[in-house]
Every structure is written in structure tokens, then in C-alpha cells.
Coordinates of all heavy atoms in Angstrom, one line a residue:
N1 N 60.6 9.9 -27.2 CA 61.9 10.5 -27.3 C 62.7 10.3 -26.1 O 62.3 9.8 -25.1 CB 61.7 12.0 -27.7 CG 61.2 12.9 -26.7 OD1 61.3 12.6 -25.5 ND2 60.6 14.0 -27.1
E2 N 63.9 10.8 -26.2 CA 64.9 10.6 -25.1 C 64.4 11.2 -23.7 O 64.6 10.6 -22.7 CB 66.2 11.2 -25.5 CG 67.4 10.9 -24.5 CD 68.7 11.5 -25.1 OE1 68.7 12.1 -26.1 OE2 69.7 11.3 -24.4
Q3 N 63.8 12.4 -23.8 CA 63.3 13.0 -22.5 C 62.2 12.1 -21.9 O 62.2 12.0 -20.7 CB 62.8 14.4 -22.7 CG 63.9 15.4 -23.0 CD 64.3 15.4 -24.5 OE1 63.7 14.9 -25.3 NE2 65.5 16.0 -24.8
D4 N 61.4 11.5 -22.7 CA 60.3 10.7 -22.2 C 60.9 9.4 -21.5 O 60.4 9.0 -20.4 CB 59.4 10.2 -23.3 CG 58.5 11.3 -23.8 OD1 58.3 12.3 -23.1 OD2 58.0 11.2 -25.0
V5 N 61.9 8.9 -22.1 CA 62.6 7.7 -21.5 C 63.2 8.0 -20.1 O 62.9 7.3 -19.1 CB 63.7 7.1 -22.4 CG1 64.5 6.0 -21.8 CG2 63.1 6.6 -23.7
A6 N 63.9 9.1 -20.1 CA 64.5 9.5 -18.8 C 63.5 9.8 -17.8 O 63.6 9.4 -16.6 CB 65.4 10.8 -19.1
R7 N 62.4 10.5 -18.1 CA 61.3 10.8 -17.2 C 60.7 9.5 -16.7 O 60.4 9.3 -15.5 CB 60.2 11.6 -17.9 CG 59.0 12.0 -16.9 CD 57.9 12.7 -17.7 NE 57.5 12.0 -18.9 CZ 56.8 10.9 -18.9 NH1 56.3 10.3 -17.9 NH2 56.4 10.3 -20.1
K8 N 60.4 8.5 -17.5 CA 59.8 7.2 -17.1 C 60.7 6.5 -16.1 O 60.2 5.9 -15.1 CB 59.5 6.3 -18.3 CG 58.4 6.8 -19.1 CD 58.1 5.9 -20.3 CE 56.9 6.4 -21.1 NZ 56.6 5.5 -22.2
I9 N 62.0 6.6 -16.3 CA 62.9 5.9 -15.4 C 62.9 6.6 -14.1 O 62.9 6.0 -13.0 CB 64.4 5.9 -16.0 CG1 64.4 5.0 -17.3 CG2 65.4 5.4 -15.0 CD1 65.6 5.1 -18.1
R10 N 63.0 8.0 -14.1 CA 62.9 8.7 -12.8 C 61.6 8.4 -12.1 O 61.6 8.3 -10.9 CB 63.1 10.2 -13.1 CG 64.5 10.6 -13.4 CD 64.7 12.1 -13.3 NE 63.8 12.8 -14.3 CZ 64.1 13.1 -15.5 NH1 65.3 12.7 -16.0 NH2 63.3 13.7 -16.3
D11 N 60.5 8.4 -12.8 CA 59.2 8.1 -12.2 C 59.2 6.8 -11.5 O 58.7 6.6 -10.4 CB 58.1 8.2 -13.2 CG 57.8 9.7 -13.6 OD1 58.4 10.6 -13.1 OD2 57.1 9.8 -14.6
A12 N 59.8 5.8 -12.2 CA 59.8 4.4 -11.6 C 60.6 4.4 -10.4 O 60.2 3.8 -9.4 CB 60.3 3.4 -12.7
V13 N 61.8 5.0 -10.4 CA 62.7 5.0 -9.2 C 62.0 5.7 -8.1 O 62.0 5.2 -6.9 CB 64.0 5.6 -9.5 CG1 64.9 5.8 -8.3 CG2 64.8 4.7 -10.6
F14 N 61.3 6.8 -8.3 CA 60.6 7.6 -7.3 C 59.5 6.8 -6.7 O 59.2 6.7 -5.5 CB 60.2 8.9 -7.8 CG 59.4 9.7 -6.8 CD1 60.1 10.4 -5.8 CD2 58.0 9.8 -6.8 CE1 59.5 11.1 -4.9 CE2 57.4 10.6 -5.9 CZ 58.1 11.2 -4.9
S15 N 58.7 6.1 -7.6 CA 57.5 5.4 -7.2 C 57.9 4.1 -6.4 O 57.2 3.8 -5.4 CB 56.7 5.0 -8.4 OG 55.6 4.2 -8.1
I16 N 58.8 3.4 -6.8 CA 59.2 2.1 -6.2 C 60.2 2.3 -5.1 O 60.0 1.6 -4.1 CB 59.8 1.1 -7.3 CG1 58.7 0.8 -8.3 CG2 60.3 -0.1 -6.7 CD1 59.2 0.1 -9.5
G17 N 61.1 3.2 -5.2 CA 62.1 3.3 -4.2 C 63.1 2.2 -4.2 O 63.2 1.5 -5.2
K18 N 63.7 1.9 -3.1 CA 64.6 0.8 -3.0 C 64.5 0.2 -1.6 O 64.1 0.8 -0.7 CB 66.0 1.2 -3.4 CG 66.6 2.2 -2.5 CD 68.0 2.6 -3.0 CE 68.6 3.6 -2.1 NZ 70.0 3.9 -2.5
A19 N 64.9 -1.0 -1.5 CA 64.9 -1.8 -0.2 C 66.1 -1.5 0.6 O 67.2 -1.1 0.0 CB 64.7 -3.2 -0.5
N20 N 66.1 -1.7 1.9 CA 67.3 -1.6 2.7 C 68.4 -2.6 2.3 O 68.1 -3.7 1.9 CB 66.9 -1.9 4.2 CG 66.1 -0.8 4.8 OD1 66.1 0.3 4.4 ND2 65.3 -1.1 5.8
G21 N 69.6 -2.1 2.2 CA 70.7 -2.9 1.9 C 70.9 -3.1 0.4 O 71.7 -3.9 0.0
I22 N 70.1 -2.5 -0.4 CA 70.2 -2.6 -1.9 C 70.5 -1.2 -2.5 O 70.0 -0.2 -2.1 CB 68.8 -3.1 -2.5 CG1 68.5 -4.5 -2.0 CG2 68.9 -3.0 -4.0 CD1 67.2 -5.1 -2.5
E23 N 71.5 -1.3 -3.3 CA 72.0 -0.1 -4.0 C 71.6 -0.1 -5.5 O 71.7 -1.1 -6.1 CB 73.5 0.0 -3.9 CG 74.1 1.2 -4.4 CD 75.6 1.2 -4.3 OE1 76.2 0.2 -3.9 OE2 76.2 2.3 -4.5
L24 N 71.0 1.0 -5.9 CA 70.6 1.2 -7.3 C 71.6 2.1 -8.0 O 71.8 3.2 -7.6 CB 69.2 1.8 -7.4 CG 68.7 2.1 -8.7 CD1 68.5 0.9 -9.6 CD2 67.4 2.9 -8.7
L25 N 72.3 1.6 -9.0 CA 73.2 2.3 -9.8 C 72.6 2.6 -11.1 O 72.2 1.7 -11.8 CB 74.5 1.6 -9.9 CG 75.2 1.1 -8.6 CD1 76.4 0.2 -8.9 CD2 75.6 2.3 -7.8
G26 N 72.6 3.8 -11.5 CA 72.0 4.2 -12.8 C 70.8 5.0 -12.6 O 70.5 5.4 -11.5
P27 N 70.1 5.2 -13.7 CA 70.3 4.6 -15.0 C 71.4 5.3 -15.7 O 71.8 6.5 -15.4 CB 68.9 4.9 -15.7 CG 68.4 6.2 -15.0 CD 68.9 6.1 -13.6
S28 N 72.0 4.6 -16.6 CA 73.1 5.1 -17.5 C 72.8 4.6 -18.9 O 72.2 3.5 -19.1 CB 74.4 4.7 -17.0 OG 74.6 3.3 -17.0
E29 N 73.3 5.3 -19.8 CA 73.1 4.9 -21.2 C 73.9 3.6 -21.5 O 75.0 3.5 -21.0 CB 73.6 6.0 -22.2 CG 72.8 7.3 -22.1 CD 73.4 8.4 -22.9 OE1 74.4 8.2 -23.6 OE2 72.9 9.5 -22.9
C30 N 73.3 2.7 -22.3 CA 74.0 1.5 -22.7 C 75.1 1.9 -23.6 O 75.2 3.0 -24.2 CB 73.0 0.6 -23.4 SG 71.8 -0.2 -22.4
T31 N 76.0 0.9 -23.8 CA 77.1 1.1 -24.7 C 76.6 1.4 -26.1 O 77.1 2.3 -26.8 CB 78.0 -0.1 -24.8 OG1 78.5 -0.4 -23.4 CG2 79.2 0.1 -25.7
F32 N 75.6 0.7 -26.6 CA 74.9 0.9 -27.8 C 73.6 1.6 -27.5 O 72.6 0.9 -27.3 CB 74.7 -0.4 -28.6 CG 76.0 -1.1 -28.9 CD1 76.3 -2.2 -28.1 CD2 76.9 -0.6 -29.8 CE1 77.5 -2.9 -28.4 CE2 78.1 -1.3 -30.0 CZ 78.4 -2.4 -29.3
Y33 N 73.7 2.9 -27.3 CA 72.6 3.7 -26.7 C 71.3 3.7 -27.5 O 70.2 3.5 -27.0 CB 73.1 5.1 -26.4 CG 72.0 6.0 -25.9 CD1 71.4 5.8 -24.7 CD2 71.7 7.2 -26.6 CE1 70.4 6.7 -24.2 CE2 70.8 8.1 -26.1 CZ 70.1 7.8 -25.0 OH 69.2 8.7 -24.5
K34 N 71.4 3.8 -28.8 CA 70.2 3.9 -29.6 C 70.3 2.9 -30.7 O 71.3 2.9 -31.5 CB 70.1 5.3 -30.2 CG 68.8 5.6 -30.9 CD 68.6 7.0 -31.3 CE 67.3 7.3 -32.0 NZ 67.2 8.6 -32.5
V35 N 69.4 2.0 -30.7 CA 69.3 0.9 -31.7 C 67.9 0.9 -32.4 O 66.9 0.8 -31.6 CB 69.6 -0.5 -31.1 CG1 69.6 -1.6 -32.1 CG2 71.0 -0.5 -30.4
N36 N 67.9 1.0 -33.7 CA 66.6 1.0 -34.4 C 65.6 2.0 -33.8 O 64.4 1.6 -33.5 CB 66.0 -0.4 -34.4 CG 66.8 -1.4 -35.2 OD1 67.5 -1.0 -36.1 ND2 66.8 -2.6 -34.8
K37 N 66.0 3.2 -33.5 CA 65.2 4.3 -33.0 C 64.7 4.0 -31.6 O 63.8 4.6 -31.1 CB 64.0 4.6 -33.9 CG 64.4 5.0 -35.3 CD 63.2 5.3 -36.1 CE 63.6 5.7 -37.5 NZ 62.4 6.0 -38.3
N38 N 65.3 3.1 -30.9 CA 65.0 2.8 -29.5 C 66.2 3.1 -28.6 O 67.3 2.8 -28.9 CB 64.7 1.3 -29.3 CG 63.5 0.8 -30.0 OD1 62.4 1.4 -29.9 ND2 63.6 -0.2 -30.9
F39 N 65.9 3.8 -27.5 CA 66.9 4.2 -26.5 C 67.1 3.1 -25.5 O 66.1 2.5 -25.1 CB 66.5 5.5 -25.8 CG 66.3 6.7 -26.7 CD1 65.1 7.1 -27.2 CD2 67.5 7.4 -27.2 CE1 65.0 8.1 -28.0 CE2 67.3 8.4 -28.0 CZ 66.1 8.8 -28.5
R40 N 68.3 2.8 -25.2 CA 68.6 1.7 -24.2 C 69.4 2.3 -23.0 O 70.3 3.1 -23.1 CB 69.5 0.7 -25.0 CG 68.8 0.1 -26.2 CD 69.7 -0.7 -27.1 NE 70.8 -1.3 -26.3 CZ 71.0 -2.7 -26.3 NH1 70.2 -3.4 -27.1 NH2 71.9 -3.2 -25.6
W41 N 68.9 1.7 -21.8 CA 69.5 2.2 -20.6 C 69.9 1.0 -19.7 O 69.2 -0.1 -19.8 CB 68.5 3.0 -19.8 CG 68.1 4.3 -20.5 CD1 67.3 4.5 -21.5 CD2 68.7 5.6 -20.2 NE1 67.2 5.8 -21.9 CE2 68.0 6.5 -21.1 CE3 69.6 6.1 -19.3 CZ2 68.3 7.8 -21.1 CZ3 69.8 7.4 -19.3 CH2 69.2 8.3 -20.2
N42 N 70.9 1.1 -18.9 CA 71.3 0.1 -17.9 C 70.9 0.6 -16.5 O 71.0 1.7 -16.2 CB 72.8 -0.1 -17.9 CG 73.3 -1.0 -19.0 OD1 72.6 -1.9 -19.4 ND2 74.5 -0.7 -19.5
F43 N 70.4 -0.4 -15.7 CA 70.3 -0.2 -14.3 C 71.1 -1.3 -13.6 O 71.1 -2.4 -14.2 CB 68.9 -0.5 -13.8 CG 67.9 0.6 -14.1 CD1 67.2 0.6 -15.2 CD2 67.6 1.5 -13.1 CE1 66.2 1.5 -15.5 CE2 66.6 2.5 -13.4 CZ 65.9 2.5 -14.5
L44 N 71.7 -1.1 -12.5 CA 72.4 -2.1 -11.8 C 71.8 -2.1 -10.4 O 71.9 -1.0 -9.7 CB 73.9 -2.0 -11.8 CG 74.7 -3.0 -11.0 CD1 74.5 -4.4 -11.7 CD2 76.2 -2.7 -11.0
I45 N 71.2 -3.2 -10.0 CA 70.7 -3.3 -8.6 C 71.6 -4.3 -7.9 O 71.7 -5.4 -8.3 CB 69.3 -3.7 -8.6 CG1 68.4 -2.9 -9.5 CG2 68.7 -3.8 -7.2 CD1 67.0 -3.4 -9.7
R46 N 72.3 -3.8 -6.8 CA 73.2 -4.8 -6.1 C 72.9 -4.8 -4.6 O 72.5 -3.8 -4.0 CB 74.6 -4.5 -6.5 CG 75.2 -3.3 -5.9 CD 76.6 -3.1 -6.2 NE 77.2 -1.9 -5.6 CZ 78.4 -1.5 -5.8 NH1 79.2 -2.1 -6.6 NH2 78.8 -0.4 -5.3
G47 N 73.2 -5.9 -4.1 CA 73.0 -6.1 -2.6 C 73.4 -7.5 -2.3 O 73.8 -8.3 -3.1
N48 N 73.4 -7.9 -1.0 CA 73.8 -9.2 -0.5 C 72.7 -10.2 -0.4 O 72.9 -11.4 -0.4 CB 74.5 -9.0 0.8 CG 75.8 -8.2 0.8 OD1 76.5 -8.4 -0.2 ND2 76.1 -7.5 1.8
N49 N 71.4 -9.7 -0.5 CA 70.3 -10.7 -0.3 C 69.6 -10.9 -1.6 O 68.9 -10.0 -2.2 CB 69.3 -10.1 0.7 CG 68.2 -11.0 1.0 OD1 67.6 -11.6 0.1 ND2 67.8 -11.1 2.3
T50 N 69.8 -12.1 -2.2 CA 69.3 -12.4 -3.5 C 67.8 -12.3 -3.6 O 67.2 -11.7 -4.5 CB 69.7 -13.8 -4.0 OG1 71.1 -13.9 -3.9 CG2 69.2 -14.1 -5.4
E51 N 67.1 -12.7 -2.6 CA 65.6 -12.6 -2.5 C 65.1 -11.2 -2.6 O 64.2 -10.9 -3.3 CB 65.1 -13.3 -1.3 CG 63.6 -13.4 -1.2 CD 63.0 -14.1 0.0 OE1 63.8 -14.8 0.6 OE2 61.8 -14.0 0.2
S52 N 65.7 -10.3 -1.8 CA 65.4 -8.9 -1.9 C 65.6 -8.3 -3.3 O 64.8 -7.5 -3.8 CB 66.2 -8.1 -0.8 OG 65.8 -8.5 0.5
L53 N 66.8 -8.7 -3.9 CA 67.1 -8.2 -5.2 C 66.0 -8.6 -6.2 O 65.6 -7.8 -7.0 CB 68.5 -8.7 -5.6 CG 69.7 -8.1 -4.9 CD1 70.9 -8.8 -5.2 CD2 69.8 -6.6 -5.3
L54 N 65.7 -9.9 -6.2 CA 64.7 -10.4 -7.1 C 63.3 -9.8 -6.9 O 62.6 -9.5 -7.8 CB 64.6 -11.9 -7.1 CG 65.9 -12.6 -7.5 CD1 65.8 -14.1 -7.3 CD2 66.2 -12.3 -9.0
N55 N 62.9 -9.5 -5.6 CA 61.7 -8.9 -5.3 C 61.6 -7.4 -5.9 O 60.6 -7.0 -6.4 CB 61.4 -8.8 -3.8 CG 61.0 -10.2 -3.3 OD1 60.5 -11.0 -4.0 ND2 61.3 -10.4 -2.0
L56 N 62.7 -6.7 -5.7 CA 62.8 -5.4 -6.3 C 62.8 -5.4 -7.8 O 62.1 -4.5 -8.4 CB 64.1 -4.6 -5.8 CG 64.2 -3.2 -6.1 CD1 63.0 -2.4 -5.5 CD2 65.5 -2.6 -5.6
A57 N 63.5 -6.3 -8.4 CA 63.4 -6.4 -9.9 C 62.0 -6.7 -10.3 O 61.5 -6.1 -11.3 CB 64.4 -7.5 -10.3
K58 N 61.2 -7.5 -9.6 CA 59.9 -7.8 -10.0 C 59.0 -6.6 -9.9 O 58.1 -6.3 -10.7 CB 59.3 -8.9 -9.1 CG 57.9 -9.3 -9.5 CD 57.3 -10.4 -8.6 CE 55.9 -10.8 -9.0 NZ 55.0 -9.9 -9.5
K59 N 59.2 -5.7 -8.9 CA 58.5 -4.5 -8.8 C 58.7 -3.6 -10.0 O 57.8 -3.0 -10.5 CB 58.9 -3.7 -7.5 CG 58.4 -4.4 -6.2 CD 58.8 -3.6 -5.0 CE 58.4 -4.3 -3.7 NZ 58.8 -3.5 -2.5
Y60 N 60.0 -3.5 -10.5 CA 60.2 -2.7 -11.7 C 59.5 -3.4 -12.9 O 58.9 -2.7 -13.7 CB 61.7 -2.6 -11.9 CG 62.3 -1.5 -11.1 CD1 63.0 -1.8 -10.0 CD2 62.2 -0.2 -11.6 CE1 63.6 -0.7 -9.2 CE2 62.8 0.8 -10.8 CZ 63.5 0.6 -9.7 OH 64.0 1.6 -8.9
K61 N 59.5 -4.7 -13.0 CA 58.9 -5.4 -14.1 C 57.4 -5.1 -14.0 O 56.8 -4.8 -15.1 CB 59.1 -6.9 -14.0 CG 58.5 -7.6 -15.1 CD 58.9 -9.1 -15.0 CE 58.2 -9.9 -16.1 NZ 58.5 -11.3 -16.0
D62 N 56.8 -5.2 -12.9 CA 55.3 -4.9 -12.7 C 55.0 -3.4 -13.0 O 54.0 -3.1 -13.6 CB 54.9 -5.3 -11.3 CG 54.9 -6.7 -11.0 OD1 55.0 -7.5 -12.0 OD2 54.8 -7.1 -9.8
Y63 N 55.9 -2.5 -12.6 CA 55.7 -1.1 -12.9 C 55.5 -0.8 -14.3 O 54.7 0.0 -14.8 CB 56.8 -0.3 -12.2 CG 56.6 1.2 -12.4 CD1 56.0 1.9 -11.4 CD2 57.2 1.9 -13.5 CE1 55.8 3.3 -11.5 CE2 57.0 3.3 -13.6 CZ 56.4 4.0 -12.6 OH 56.2 5.3 -12.7
F64 N 56.4 -1.4 -15.1 CA 56.4 -1.1 -16.6 C 55.5 -2.1 -17.4 O 55.4 -2.0 -18.6 CB 57.8 -1.2 -17.1 CG 58.6 0.0 -16.7 CD1 59.7 -0.1 -15.9 CD2 58.4 1.3 -17.2 CE1 60.5 1.0 -15.5 CE2 59.1 2.4 -16.8 CZ 60.2 2.2 -16.0
A65 N 54.9 -3.0 -16.8 CA 54.1 -4.1 -17.5 C 53.0 -3.5 -18.4 O 52.8 -4.0 -19.5 CB 53.5 -5.0 -16.5
G66 N 52.4 -2.5 -18.0 CA 51.3 -1.9 -18.8 C 51.7 -0.9 -19.8 O 50.9 -0.4 -20.6
D67 N 53.0 -0.6 -19.9 CA 53.5 0.5 -20.8 C 54.1 -0.2 -22.0 O 55.3 -0.7 -22.0 CB 54.6 1.3 -20.0 CG 55.0 2.5 -20.8 OD1 54.8 2.6 -22.0 OD2 55.5 3.5 -20.2
R68 N 53.4 -0.1 -23.1 CA 53.9 -0.8 -24.3 C 55.1 -0.1 -25.0 O 55.7 -0.6 -25.8 CB 52.7 -0.9 -25.3 CG 51.6 -1.8 -24.8 CD 50.5 -1.9 -25.8 NE 51.0 -2.2 -27.1 CZ 50.9 -3.4 -27.7 NH1 50.3 -4.4 -27.0 NH2 51.3 -3.6 -28.9
S69 N 55.4 1.1 -24.5 CA 56.5 1.9 -25.1 C 57.8 1.5 -24.4 O 58.9 1.9 -24.8 CB 56.3 3.4 -24.9 OG 56.4 3.8 -23.6
V70 N 57.7 0.6 -23.3 CA 58.9 0.2 -22.6 C 59.1 -1.3 -22.7 O 58.2 -2.1 -22.5 CB 58.8 0.6 -21.1 CG1 59.9 0.0 -20.3 CG2 58.7 2.1 -20.9
Y71 N 60.3 -1.7 -23.1 CA 60.7 -3.1 -23.0 C 61.7 -3.2 -21.9 O 62.8 -2.6 -21.9 CB 61.3 -3.5 -24.4 CG 62.0 -4.9 -24.3 CD1 61.2 -6.0 -24.3 CD2 63.3 -5.0 -24.3 CE1 61.7 -7.3 -24.3 CE2 63.9 -6.3 -24.3 CZ 63.1 -7.4 -24.2 OH 63.7 -8.6 -24.2
L72 N 61.4 -4.1 -21.0 CA 62.3 -4.2 -19.8 C 62.8 -5.7 -19.8 O 62.1 -6.6 -19.9 CB 61.6 -4.0 -18.5 CG 62.3 -4.1 -17.2 CD1 63.5 -3.1 -17.1 CD2 61.4 -4.0 -16.0
E73 N 64.2 -5.8 -19.8 CA 64.8 -7.1 -19.7 C 65.6 -7.2 -18.5 O 66.4 -6.3 -18.2 CB 65.7 -7.3 -21.0 CG 66.3 -8.6 -21.1 CD 67.1 -8.8 -22.4 OE1 66.5 -8.5 -23.4 OE2 68.2 -9.2 -22.3
I74 N 65.3 -8.2 -17.7 CA 66.0 -8.4 -16.4 C 67.0 -9.6 -16.5 O 66.6 -10.7 -16.9 CB 65.0 -8.6 -15.3 CG1 64.1 -7.4 -15.1 CG2 65.7 -9.0 -14.0 CD1 63.0 -7.6 -14.2
D75 N 68.2 -9.3 -16.2 CA 69.2 -10.4 -16.2 C 69.8 -10.5 -14.8 O 70.5 -9.6 -14.3 CB 70.4 -10.0 -17.1 CG 71.4 -11.2 -17.3 OD1 71.3 -12.1 -16.5 OD2 72.2 -11.0 -18.2
A76 N 69.3 -11.5 -14.0 CA 69.6 -11.6 -12.6 C 71.1 -11.9 -12.4 O 71.6 -11.5 -11.3 CB 68.8 -12.7 -12.0
F77 N 71.8 -12.5 -13.3 CA 73.2 -12.9 -13.1 C 73.9 -12.6 -14.4 O 74.4 -13.4 -15.1 CB 73.3 -14.4 -12.8 CG 72.5 -14.7 -11.5 CD1 71.3 -15.4 -11.7 CD2 73.0 -14.4 -10.3 CE1 70.6 -15.7 -10.5 CE2 72.3 -14.7 -9.1 CZ 71.0 -15.4 -9.3
P78 N 74.1 -11.2 -14.7 CA 74.8 -10.9 -16.0 C 76.2 -11.3 -16.0 O 77.0 -11.2 -15.0 CB 74.6 -9.3 -16.0 CG 74.5 -9.0 -14.5 CD 73.8 -10.1 -13.9
L79 N 76.6 -11.7 -17.2 CA 78.1 -12.0 -17.4 C 78.8 -10.8 -17.7 O 80.0 -10.7 -17.4 CB 78.2 -13.1 -18.5 CG 77.6 -14.4 -18.2 CD1 77.7 -15.3 -19.5 CD2 78.2 -15.1 -17.0
N80 N 78.2 -9.8 -18.4 CA 78.8 -8.5 -18.7 C 77.7 -7.5 -18.9 O 76.6 -7.8 -18.9 CB 79.7 -8.6 -19.9 CG 78.9 -9.0 -21.2 OD1 77.9 -8.3 -21.5 ND2 79.4 -10.0 -21.9
M81 N 78.1 -6.3 -19.0 CA 77.1 -5.2 -19.1 C 77.0 -4.6 -20.5 O 76.6 -3.4 -20.6 CB 77.5 -4.1 -18.1 CG 77.4 -4.5 -16.6 SD 75.7 -4.9 -16.1 CE 75.0 -3.3 -16.2
L82 N 77.4 -5.3 -21.5 CA 77.3 -4.7 -22.9 C 75.9 -4.9 -23.4 O 75.2 -5.8 -23.3 CB 78.3 -5.4 -23.8 CG 79.7 -4.8 -23.7 CD1 80.6 -5.5 -24.7 CD2 79.8 -3.3 -24.0

């Protein structure tokens, strides 16, 4: 449910943290928040060092790798946030 999703996101942010010079914005609800009974959230990770950004994104991917209830999609160079 929605509370479980929010808890998992908070747990990931607390567990992984963030790197120096990187700003984590979100999580925030996607424009199309609920699709086919699935809740969707946006994170935006921004900074000046591409390598640090990709390393942090990989940590999030690894964190959720064993959780079949979470689908994580990483777009390193998004054209838009819809």
C-alpha cells in the first residue's frame, strides 16, 4: 500500500545517504501517481560529478534489487519528468 512505499523510500534514503556535492530531491508523487494498482514516485539526484551520480544511482538499484515489490527505473539523462 501507499504507506509501505513511502516507508521503503525513507528507509533507502536513510540507509544509503548521499554523497558530498550531490543533492537528492524527492521523493515526490509522479504526475500519474497510481497506474494499475502500482504507486509511482520520482527522485531527482543532481550534482556536478557524473561518476558520483551514477555510483549513487547504482547504490539505490542494489538496495532494491532483492525486493520484488519494487520496480526501480533509472534514467541518467531524462528528457522530461513525466
Side-chain angles (χ1 to χ4, degrees):
N1 68 24
E2 187 175 0
Q3 288 85 14
D4 290 339
V5 173
R7 180 188 48 78
K8 286 180 182 185
I9 293 169
R10 282 192 301 272
D11 290 350
V13 171
F14 180 76
S15 175
I16 295 169
K18 60 182 182 177
N20 288 336
I22 294 179
E23 184 177 9
L24 174 67
L25 303 174
S28 63
E29 296 176 0
C30 289
T31 303
F32 304 106
Y33 174 60
K34 191 172 180 183
V35 178
N36 295 328
K37 299 182 183 179
N38 295 307
F39 298 100
R40 299 165 36 119
W41 296 80
N42 278 328
F43 286 88
L44 180 63
I45 305 170
R46 71 178 180 185
N48 293 325
N49 185 316
T50 303
E51 184 177 344
S52 294
L53 290 168
L54 294 175
N55 286 335
L56 187 60
K58 184 181 180 329
K59 287 180 184 180
Y60 277 98
K61 182 178 178 183
D62 292 345
Y63 182 89
F64 286 113
D67 189 340
R68 295 179 52 102
S69 70
V70 174
Y71 170 74
L72 179 64
E73 185 174 311
I74 298 172
D75 186 351
F77 303 100
L79 296 177
N80 62 52
M81 294 295 290
L82 280 181

